[in-house]
Amino acid sequence: MICKEWKVSENSEAILKTYILDDEEYARKGIIKPAVIVCPGGGYTEVSRNEGEPVALAFAAQGYHAFVLNYSVKIENPFPKALTELALAVKLVREHAKEWRIDTDRISVAGFSAGGHLAAGLGVYYHTEYLQNLINCTEEEIKPNSLILGYPAFSLEPVSESNEIPQYLIDLMDQGLMMDFRGPGIRQIMTGKMEFTQEDMEPINLLKHVSPKMPPVFMFGSYSDRIIPVSDLLTMASLCKENGVLCELHLFANGPHGQGLYQPHCIDENMLKNQHMN
């Protein structure tokens, strides 16, 4: 396996890490394979590790060339900074498709939570002059062929209007068992403003920008997720149907937000218990 880090552009600190499968031998030599670019979550506050390399290796085990994007986060990097970095990452993969033996018609983008928002953002914006002009790229260079979205954020609307962080989450953050998001919220980060308007949110709410040009979507989430409104996933599935976009949605009864590959031995029992509370 070729593991190497690439800057997506000279003007960005974003890094694309490769998990490129070695060429095989005899009759299997030179086989062209699909690729997936993984966008971990982290609330645009950080880039989660458990949704990065473990996911890439799981795809690699299924015969994919995999990549993990460490994109720009925090309030000093508002929308569309990370989106331009993902688009450039897709362009980079396409440019090296022959060298890396990649099927250019099977380049997927996978994202989890905020990374799901990022991946879906490319799905709704890749064909627009708005994005193409920002990075001087064509639609063909940056188009994802499909989207794989785990408990994705779409509207960035909170499940609860309360700004108070539940005590059990504070306890987990204090113990270092989950990301500490005491600071600017995801909407403040994405708008780059502590005080934002609905107009500021308009380009960031992806449910307002679905079109027939969106690539096929596979997404999953759970009813017990206390971070992402399940209604967002249902609305996205409905919008895909209205626009003739292929979509498959799996909603599970239980499952914590941030579950990644859902390996119970890697998830704190208290987190599981609190995620399943009514």
Side-chain angles (χ1 to χ4, degrees):
M1 180 177 286
I2 302 172
C3 295
K4 184 177 178 180
E5 294 186 347
W6 295 71
K7 287 191 67 173
V8 298
S9 79
E10 292 302 316
N11 301 319
S12 170
E13 295 302 314
I15 297 294
L16 187 69
K17 185 170 182 179
T18 73
Y19 297 82
I20 299 167
L21 298 173
D22 293 329
D23 198 3
E24 299 188 43
E25 55 188 353
Y26 305 120
R28 298 184 62 82
K29 188 173 180 63
I31 291 178
I32 304 301
K33 298 179 179 179
V36 60
I37 299 172
V38 179
C39 302
Y44 286 110
T45 296
E46 63 179 50
V47 178
S48 170
R49 285 182 290 180
N50 80 299
E51 294 161 346
E53 184 169 276
V55 175
L57 293 176
F59 273 106
Q62 299 300 316
Y64 282 74
H65 297 302
F67 305 82
V68 175
L69 180 64
N70 193 332
Y71 52 91
S72 296
V73 295
K74 300 188 183 301
I75 197 167
E76 56 265 29
N77 293 299
F79 180 88
K81 178 71 178 229
L83 179 61
T84 62
E85 293 169 342
L86 176 55
L88 290 169
V90 173
K91 180 175 183 286
L92 177 65
V93 170
R94 288 191 182 280
E95 287 174 342
H96 289 82
K98 184 175 180 181
E99 173 190 351
W100 293 338
R101 306 178 316 283
I102 290 173
D103 184 345
T104 54
D105 292 324
R106 298 178 66 193
I107 298 176
S108 302
V109 175
F112 298 82
S113 190
H117 180 272
L118 176 55
L122 185 60
V124 302
Y125 280 114
Y126 77 90
H127 60 87
T128 64
E129 290 186 359
Y130 165 73
L131 179 57
Q132 293 166 26
N133 290 341
L134 283 173
I135 54 177
N136 192 29
C137 291
T138 66
E139 175 179 330
E140 291 74 19
E141 290 174 317
I142 62 175
K143 176 184 178 179
N145 297 110
S146 62
L147 303 175
I148 303 164
L149 310 175
Y151 39 93
F154 290 128
S155 69
L156 300 190
E157 292 295 326
V159 173
S160 170
E161 288 301 321
S162 172
N163 290 322
E164 293 186 9
I165 301 174
Q167 185 59 46
Y168 81 91
L169 290 181
I170 293 175
D171 293 342
L172 290 172
M173 288 186 282
D174 286 341
Q175 297 171 58
L177 295 175
M178 72 174 297
M179 178 187 72
D180 193 333
F181 49 85
R182 287 170 288 192
I186 191 169
R187 294 183 291 176
Q188 294 168 323
I189 291 171
M190 291 299 281
T191 59
K193 301 177 180 179
M194 293 302 293
E195 299 292 334
F196 57 86
T197 66
Q198 284 303 114
E199 184 178 357
D200 294 326
M201 286 297 301
E202 199 278 338
I204 302 166
N205 183 344
L206 303 180
L207 297 177
K208 297 180 180 294
H209 302 281
V210 178
S211 77
K213 298 202 73 170
M214 190 167 183
V217 179
F218 173 88
M219 56 182 170
F220 69 90
S222 78
Y223 286 99
S224 64
D225 189 329
R226 301 177 70 181
I227 305 297
I228 301 297
V230 71
S231 58
D232 273 16
L233 279 71
L234 294 168
T235 299
M236 176 58 80
S238 178
L239 289 168
C240 285
K241 184 177 186 300
E242 290 175 16
N243 284 275
V245 175
L246 291 176
C247 177
E248 183 171 342
L249 168 62
H250 291 237
L251 284 174
F252 300 96
N254 293 308
H257 187 78
Q259 62 188 272
L261 297 177
Y262 196 74
Q263 299 165 311
H265 61 283
C266 296
I267 301 175
D268 180 71
E269 290 183 4
N270 291 322
M271 188 175 184
L272 284 173
K273 179 181 69 175
N274 284 301
Q275 284 281 351
H276 294 168
M277 290 170 57
N278 291 325

